[in-house]
Amino acid sequence: MERSIRARGTGAFTGRPSGRSRPTGNSGHTAAVTHVRLRHPYLDHPAPIPFAHRGGAADGLENTAFAFRRAAGAGYRYFETDVHATADGKLVAFHDATLDRVTDARGRIAELSWKQVSAARVGGTEPLSLFEDLLEEFPEARWNVDIKAESALYPLVNLIARAGVWDRVCVGSFSESRVARAHRIAGPRLATSYGVLGVLGLRLRSYAIPAALRVGAVAAQVPESQAGVRVVDRRFVRTAHARGLQVHVWTVNEPERMEALLDLGVDGIMTDRIDILRTVLDRRGAWA
């Protein structure tokens, strides 16, 4: 396994006051003022961040260049995607461990060569993409990348270093240990979010319950609720902001839920319905 990355300790971003306040739009909602310090240039966006989840997955053509082109055409600058490594070490932008659900092919990506994977078509029409090619095709985009498998960790961090895109990528994972390893390998130039255990620790902290939290994360990326338990509320957002963390919520497709979350002061929303989120933010005067 390639482990060539040498990034620790240089080029750190020390942070500065963001000075952001959330606009008041035509909806009549006065959005909360944020006091989050800008901890990484990846987050340098003047309003709540709209993320195109898997490029905007409402029509099923998720994580394809077609979906990301459509999102870019709709004005999106932040894209969410996932990565797996093929048997020959190529980093594919794809959510599932297997091709079965959304393509016309079958098999585990980790057991297939890139040549085999590249023959699959999402929805029967759209090819899969290497993440490296997406970085090149969309040079102005910023990417939120979920490391879906251990085998993708080193290829992803090495790609970020090789391409010099530290300011354009935030790395996350459900596995807190996995994303923590990515952060230890790369150092402070790499933006990371909390995994499940990190989010749990932050939730406990919001109730004044002592819990260990990894130093160096820049965001908590969370669902509104998990297993019927509310995650995102004013207490959680306030606790995250007090620690200098942004709160990004996934995956939100209904306008009333978007409005409610924005009123709570969240810093970003990930959606499959890029048209709806754009409309909501436009109405609030918060699209930037």
Side-chain angles (χ1 to χ4, degrees), residues 53-111:
H53 182 250
R54 305 183 198 171
D59 64 357
L61 298 178
E62 60 186 57
N63 281 325
T64 62
F66 173 87
F68 295 120
R69 289 174 195 135
R70 181 176 52 195
Y76 279 74
R77 292 177 49 230
Y78 284 78
F79 300 154
E80 189 275 346
T81 193
D82 316 272
V83 289
H84 287 273
T86 62
D88 50 350
K90 299 295 185 179
L91 202 62
V92 183
F94 199 72
H95 178 270
D96 298 0
T98 72
L99 299 172
D100 304 19
R101 179 177 63 90
V102 297
T103 82
D104 56 5
R106 300 182 67 83
R108 295 185 62 82
I109 290 175
E111 297 172 356

Side-chain angles (χ1 to χ4, degrees), residues 150-161:
E150 191 69 23
S151 61
L153 192 158
Y154 279 95
L156 176 61
V157 178
N158 278 308
L159 170 59
I160 293 168

